[in-house]
Structures are given as C-alpha cells and as structure tokens.
Amino acid sequence: MAEETLVKEALTEEMKGFGAAITQKLDEAGWPVVASLWSFDPEGNRWKLILASPRVSSDGPQQAYGAVVKALEALQAPLTDLQLIRVVVPDHPLIKTLASTIQTGWAIRGIHLSERAINGLFVEESYLYRLALESAAA
C-alpha cells in the first residue's frame, strides 16, 4: 500500500515582501488595515493574505476588494494575486484570537507563529505584519 506525503507550501521571501508592500499601499491610500497576516490553510495547502479593516463592515466587501485591486495596480502586481487575498472584518475569529495575545501597533513587522493553540484555536502557521486592535481583549 502506497503512502501519500503532503508537502507543505512554503511562504517565500517574495510573498513576505508582497504582504508588507500591499499593507503599506493600503495605508498610503487611507484604507485602514488593523490586521495584516499570511495564514496557512492546511485544508487547501496554501497561504492566504488576510487583511482586516473596519471598512469591510462599513463599505462592504466589494468596495474593500476594490481598494485591494487599486493597491495591486499601484504595485504593478498581477490581478491574479487577488486570489491569495482575503478581506475580513476586525472581529473575524482568527484576528480576534491572535490579537488577544499579540499586539504589534501600527508598524509593519514580520512575526512568524507556528503550531500554537491560542484560546482554544489551533494556529497552524502565520506570518504577522500588523495586529493593532485596540479592543482586542474586549
């Protein structure tokens, strides 16, 4: 009987640079990003760049993705990169869970988390740029 081995997709330096760059472009455009991170999805065996903003609630997801498209265009990145990005509200469960233990402030950082259980949620792997939720503990 053959055994299948799943090779985990790596988060490349190019992806890390892209995440920081798009976060910065959104900042420059005045689109408030309160959380920005790559999160590994073990079911899909791929990384997703998660961007959380209160504008997702107030303006709706369509306008939120429109802001991301403008940032991609400003970076001269292919629009196919949009498939790697997910915009969410600040009270998304993953964002709230991470922010309950980590706050980075508004700077863009690079913090790697791997295989951690935080408040009952298992985080396979994440690379954090920003977690700046003032009311995260609430």
Side-chain angles (χ1 to χ4, degrees):
M1 184 159 124
E3 200 173 303
E4 265 186 56
T5 302
L6 181 63
V7 177
K8 183 176 186 178
E9 179 185 335
L11 182 66
T12 66
E13 291 302 317
E14 181 181 5
M15 292 167 74
K16 290 178 184 178
F18 171 75
I22 198 160
T23 302
Q24 183 173 347
K25 279 294 175 199
L26 289 166
D27 285 349
E28 291 168 4
W31 198 77
V33 178
V34 297
S36 174
L37 61 116
W38 283 103
S39 179
F40 184 74
D41 172 19
E43 290 179 22
N45 192 35
R46 64 180 158 156
W47 290 89
K48 280 283 194 181
L49 180 63
I50 299 175
L51 304 169
S53 173
R55 298 277 295 270
V56 177
S57 297
S58 63
D59 300 350
Q62 186 172 3
Q63 285 195 342
Y65 279 106
V68 172
V69 167
K70 287 180 184 174
L72 288 170
E73 290 170 345
L75 292 170
Q76 298 180 338
L79 291 182
T80 55
D81 285 350
L82 190 59
Q83 297 172 11
L84 304 173
I85 300 170
R86 182 169 178 213
V87 295
V88 299
V89 294
D91 65 349
H92 181 277
L94 175 62
I95 301 302
K96 281 179 64 171
T97 299
L98 290 172
S100 70
T101 59
I102 301 168
Q103 288 288 311
T104 65
W106 290 97
I108 298 173
R109 308 198 187 282
I111 301 168
H112 182 250
L113 296 176
S114 184
E115 298 182 352
R116 290 190 184 194
I118 303 171
N119 295 335
L121 178 71
F122 183 73
V123 178
E124 173 84 21
E125 194 166 1
S126 292
Y127 188 82
L128 313 174
Y129 298 102
R130 174 182 297 157
L131 280 169
L133 302 181
E134 292 80 11
S135 61

